Amino acid sequence: MSSNKSEYLTTLGDRLAKERSRCGHTQKSIADNLDITARTQIKYEIGETAPDAYYLHGLDAIGIDVTYVLTGVRGATPSPEESQLIACYRSVDKATRSALTQLLAGMADMVRASRKKRDFFAVPEEVRVRPGRQRKLPVGRPRKQKDFLNEASAKEQAPAKEGGEGESEQG
């Protein structure tokens, strides 16, 4: 935390403005929802005034991440779905908790593995070499016959490289 109160209030105000925008609220809509004046909302956002607990509670009620506004850390407060999951987890016996933990860990591993595989093929700029072939194929879209014809005409127009580093014409 910063050592200066005015610096902290400025930082808090900046976070408040970012979070308000992220949630799709205007200064006026926040003021109307929380029964404050628009000028008071502006003072909070520019760091001129510190918000009180009642105001922060109201922000939470309209969907603003108050933990982020105060600390700069997102996601510290569980969503309603996460809260329900935690409540269900706490309501079952130890053996069921262990089974649920293993199940979720396995599912998370599967999701991570599928993302890695999907992300590898989704990058069109990269070029990979297929085993057993001499030419490189772009990832992302299949090559068409006209692509090969365009390459062939470009090779005929380009001067020959020294050192024989050109691609092989094996097929």
Side-chain angles (χ1 to χ4, degrees), residues 3 5-6 33 43 52 58 66 71 78 84 87 97 99 113 139 146 171:
S3 59
K5 183 177 178 181
S6 65
N33 280 318
K43 285 182 177 184
D52 60 11
V66 176
T71 66
Q84 182 183 10
R97 286 182 187 177
V139 176
K146 69 178 184 177

Side-chain angles (χ1 to χ4, degrees), residues 75-88:
T77 305
S79 68
E81 294 86 11
E82 292 169 328
S83 295
Q84 182 183 10
L85 182 63
I86 292 167
C88 291

Side-chain angles (χ1 to χ4, degrees), residues 23-157:
C23 293
H25 290 287
T26 63
Q27 291 174 332
K28 176 95 172 100
S29 70
I30 296 267
D32 291 344
N33 280 318
L34 302 179
D35 294 327
I36 61 172
T37 66
R39 181 66 191 147
T40 300
Q41 178 65 28
I42 292 168
K43 285 182 177 184
Y44 291 156
E45 290 187 10
I46 63 173
E48 191 175 309
T49 306
D52 60 11
Y54 183 75
Y55 171 82
L56 295 172
H57 177 71
L59 287 179
D60 185 54
I62 61 172
I64 302 291
D65 185 354
V66 176
T67 304
Y68 170 73
V69 172
L70 294 174
T71 66
V73 177
R74 289 201 183 275
T77 305
S79 68
E81 294 86 11
E82 292 169 328
S83 295
Q84 182 183 10
L85 182 63
I86 292 167
C88 291
Y89 178 83
R90 290 178 178 163
S91 69
V92 297
D93 60 56
K94 189 174 183 176
T96 306
R97 286 182 187 177
S98 176
L100 287 171
T101 302
Q102 290 175 359
L103 175 67
L104 285 174
M107 291 174 76
D109 289 344
M110 288 173 48
V111 168
R112 280 191 293 273
S114 71
R115 281 185 190 149
K116 287 179 184 175
K117 185 176 182 181
R118 184 177 61 235
D119 290 345
F120 173 76
F121 292 108
V123 181
E125 298 86 28
E126 290 190 19
V127 176
R128 63 185 164 96
V129 177
R130 287 190 162 175
R133 298 207 179 179
Q134 296 297 318
R135 63 180 181 264
K136 294 181 179 183
L137 299 175
V139 176
R141 68 175 177 89
R143 294 183 71 160
K144 297 179 182 173
Q145 185 175 5
K146 69 178 184 177
D147 292 338
F148 290 112
L149 295 175
N150 290 340
E151 282 183 13
S153 65
K155 284 182 184 176
E156 290 173 4
Q157 294 173 358

